Amino acid sequence: MSEAGVRAVVEGIHSSPTQAVLFLSGGASQIIGWLLSVPGASNTVLETVVPYSRMSMIQLLSKIPSKFCSQDTAEDMALLAYNRALKLSTPGSPVLGVGFTGSLASSRPKLGDHRFHLSTRTADRLWVSTVTLSKGLRTRDEEDKVSSHILLKAIANACRVPATFDSGLTESEVSDECEKQFDEDQELEQLINGQIYFKIYPFASGTDMSSAERKIILSGSFNPLHDGHLKLLEVAASICGDAYPCFEISAVNADKPPLTVSQIKDRVKQFKKVGEGRQ
């Protein structure tokens, strides 16, 4: 793919509302330069981490993986990146977690395949791809470029940006892909089980808080939501000034049983009604 083609795709990604965290190891390094060299990178890239050593990867995953370069590791990295993006993103913005782990050509011959695994995680979708490269066909730099192209396309797809280009793979190097879609109930189950940190319902979409760097969070059970809750957050917002006001429903409480999916949805409906009334 030409430099102009790469730039056009990156510009489309930066124009989308999606904010991303990338965890990359063992390849696809060129994508960092592509994303950061095009104006608007701060609209998209929240953080990029390269856990290159074994110890760095172990600390990132908080475990020793059965294989450092595997589909499972790429999925774990993408989920961790997604949760990190939830914490760093502007409230209400769609977020993306990206995981990549590769075993490419190096200074020493490899006994195993030259391969890489990549994964993207959004609120409602987990996508994973595995590519096995032909040994001896490319240099390390060329393998890195191929993996960077494929990862760029995956990020573009997750951001809903059209990206059609030649990845550089041969006919025998077809990627093996799988995808899982999540509905709201499944996402809330993941929340209760601790897989994802939180889920955002941006009901007050008519309020422009894009420049707010801080959040005001009022946590509680909200069973039921009442005027006192609304007044508390209103007073806090007036004191703190430029900050994004948020209510937090505690799905898992140390002193009470976790809420069920239906209980969470019922309590969220209260905020939806108030939010729609204020738009």
Side-chain angles (χ1 to χ4, degrees):
M1 187 179 188
S2 66
E3 290 185 11
V6 168
R7 185 181 181 89
V9 173
V10 173
E11 287 175 346
I13 291 171
H14 291 342
S15 296
S16 78
T18 302
Q19 298 183 312
V21 168
L22 290 77
F23 291 160
L24 314 175
S25 181
S29 63
Q30 296 177 49
I31 197 168
I32 299 175
W34 294 344
L35 289 172
L36 299 186
S37 63
V38 175
S42 60
N43 297 334
T44 303
V45 181
L46 297 168
E47 183 176 77
T48 299
V49 177
V50 183
Y52 214 78
S53 71
R54 290 174 60 89
M55 188 54 65
S56 179
M57 180 68 81
I58 290 169
Q59 291 189 12
L60 175 71
L61 301 176
S62 297
K63 65 180 181 181
I64 301 175
S66 57
K67 291 184 178 180
F68 284 82
C69 181
S70 68
Q71 176 178 318
D72 288 343
T73 298
E75 286 187 31
D76 288 344
M77 294 171 75
L79 181 59
L80 288 167
Y82 174 76
N83 280 322
R84 179 67 173 163
L86 284 173
K87 290 184 174 182
L88 298 178
S89 63
T90 302
S93 297
V95 301
L96 168 65
V98 178
F100 178 98
T101 177
S103 179
L104 306 183
S106 67
S107 58
R108 293 174 294 180
K110 292 182 180 293
L111 296 177
D113 293 326
H114 293 194
R115 68 193 189 281
F116 56 87
H117 308 267
L118 56 143
S119 179
T120 57
R121 170 65 201 247
T122 60
D124 62 355
R125 177 178 178 265
L126 171 67
W127 179 85
V128 184
S129 177
T130 294
V131 177
T132 301
L133 300 172
S134 299
K135 266 188 171 182
L137 182 63
R138 305 175 182 87
T139 63
R140 169 61 185 238
D141 182 67
E142 289 169 341
E143 287 188 351
D144 189 89
K145 189 171 185 178
V146 167
S147 62
S148 296
H149 276 147
I150 294 175
L151 184 55
L152 178 64
K153 184 176 181 180
I155 293 173
N157 288 340
C159 295
R160 305 184 186 279
V161 173
T164 303
F165 54 84
D166 182 8
S167 63
L169 296 178
T170 66
E171 291 184 0
S172 62
E173 297 174 325
V174 178
S175 60
D176 181 16
E177 301 178 5
C178 63
E179 181 179 8
K180 300 175 186 177
Q181 294 280 349
F182 309 117
D183 58 24
E184 183 184 5
D185 285 9
Q186 290 172 316
E187 193 179 354
L188 291 175
E189 286 285 0
Q190 293 170 7
L191 175 69
I192 295 168
N193 294 335
Q195 291 175 272
I196 60 175
Y197 292 166
F198 53 85
K199 174 176 173 59
I200 296 176
Y201 290 89
F203 294 135
S205 58
T207 304
D208 182 14
M209 299 297 295
S210 58
S211 61
E213 295 184 356
R214 298 180 299 162
K215 304 179 184 73
I216 302 171
I217 301 175
L218 178 61
S219 182
S221 59
F222 304 107
N223 186 32
L225 173 67
H226 53 70
D227 288 342
H229 296 132
L230 302 176
K231 189 63 177 178
L232 272 173
L233 196 61
E234 181 181 328
V235 171
S238 67
I239 294 173
C240 295
D242 184 21
Y244 195 104
C246 307
F247 288 102
E248 179 187 58
I249 299 175
S250 302
V252 180
N253 192 301
D255 299 321
K256 301 176 184 177
L259 298 180
T260 64
V261 168
S262 60
Q263 287 175 324
I264 295 174
K265 292 172 75 172
D266 285 343
R267 297 185 193 186
V268 166
K269 287 178 183 177
Q270 303 174 104
F271 295 92
K272 182 176 182 180
K273 184 176 180 180
V274 172
E276 290 174 344
R278 294 191 170 198
Q279 290 182 20

